Amino acid sequence: MRCSNGSRDARAEEVLAAAAAVSAPFDLMAAGDALGRGFNLVYARAFLATMKEKGERKLERFPGLFDAEAMRCARTLREFDEVVTAPLHGFRDTDDYWTRASAKPVLGRIAVPTLLVNARNDPFLPAAALPRPDEVSSHVHCDFPGEGGHAAFVSGPFPGNLEWLPRRVTAFFEDVLAGRAGRSPTHASETMSMHSGIPK
């Protein structure tokens, strides 16, 4: 929720009681660059295949909308966004798109209780790119456990379970609705670490 003044803050609270974002790529530049190298290319190529399929369907409806051959030749998300996503949405190029469309610069303007959950070992976003306390508003609760990967957060003994994440998000919403501030990020992260079956 992007809020820049008091009236918008009030309007946001009328529409939304609380929010949660899980494994969000707050910094598209850092995320895109991370997905363009090493083992992460496996993930990027899978995404790219689905994006190219959608691009082909778009071209069937709107021939000549963008350079079809350049899209088919794209080998990275950066190359695809340069040819398709950026120009179709009014951005100058990939750098302009990734910079202006990132959520990180507006986290300090969030006006409703919001939980951010990202693992520090998420392959889609380096830990160094996670928002710092001074980059978010007082309404934002950051929970960045050491393990969890991308939207997985497997916990418990092998083979593990997926119970931690829904419990964490549900508890946050319950706390907000009950008028409490929510559990502290430090406590939640320690709980994740103590019960995780994933080696550090």
Side-chain angles (χ1 to χ4, degrees):
M1 182 69 67
R2 302 188 178 191
C3 304
S4 58
N5 56 44
S7 62
R8 289 186 180 180
D9 291 355
R11 195 182 316 152
E13 293 175 349
E14 291 174 2
V15 175
L16 198 63
V22 177
S23 298
F26 304 108
D27 185 331
L28 293 179
M29 189 71 73
D33 288 343
L35 287 169
R37 58 179 180 265
F39 183 78
N40 288 347
L41 282 170
V42 174
Y43 300 114
R45 286 168 184 152
F47 288 145
L48 202 53
T50 61
M51 291 165 68
K52 286 182 178 181
E53 289 177 6
K54 293 177 180 178
E56 294 288 359
R57 291 199 296 270
K58 185 74 72 174
L59 285 171
E60 290 176 2
R61 296 181 59 195
F62 307 101
L65 185 62
F66 50 81
D67 188 332
E69 189 57 32
M71 180 199 71
R72 292 169 188 142
C73 291
R75 293 291 176 266
T76 64
L77 296 178
R78 171 176 282 279
E79 292 176 359
F80 180 92
D81 283 346
E82 186 78 18
V83 176
V84 182
T85 316
L88 285 186
H89 295 87
F91 296 100
R92 183 183 65 253
D93 51 26
T94 299
D95 286 344
D96 185 42
Y97 165 46
W98 285 0
T99 299
R100 292 170 55 198
S102 291
K104 196 173 184 181
V106 298
L107 295 178
R109 289 152 49 187
I110 290 178
V112 296
T114 300
L115 173 67
L116 307 182
V117 181
N118 276 69
R120 293 184 177 278
N121 68 345
D122 187 335
F124 294 4
L125 186 69
L130 290 169
R132 303 185 309 269
D134 63 324
E135 294 179 307
V136 302
S137 80
S138 59
H139 298 280
V140 174
H141 303 260
C142 296
D143 194 347
F144 302 148
E147 303 89 24
H150 185 71
F153 300 98
V154 179
S155 60
F158 183 84
N161 62 74
L162 301 177
E163 296 177 1
W164 182 85
L165 181 59
R167 287 179 177 174
R168 176 70 182 100
V169 174
T170 300
F172 176 77
F173 287 153
E174 290 175 344
D175 285 343
V176 171
L177 294 176
R180 298 189 294 273
R183 288 185 289 177
S184 71
T186 301
H187 177 269
S189 297
E190 290 174 349
T191 302
M192 173 67 188
S193 178
M194 286 189 295
H195 295 284
S196 174
I198 305 172
K200 294 184 180 180

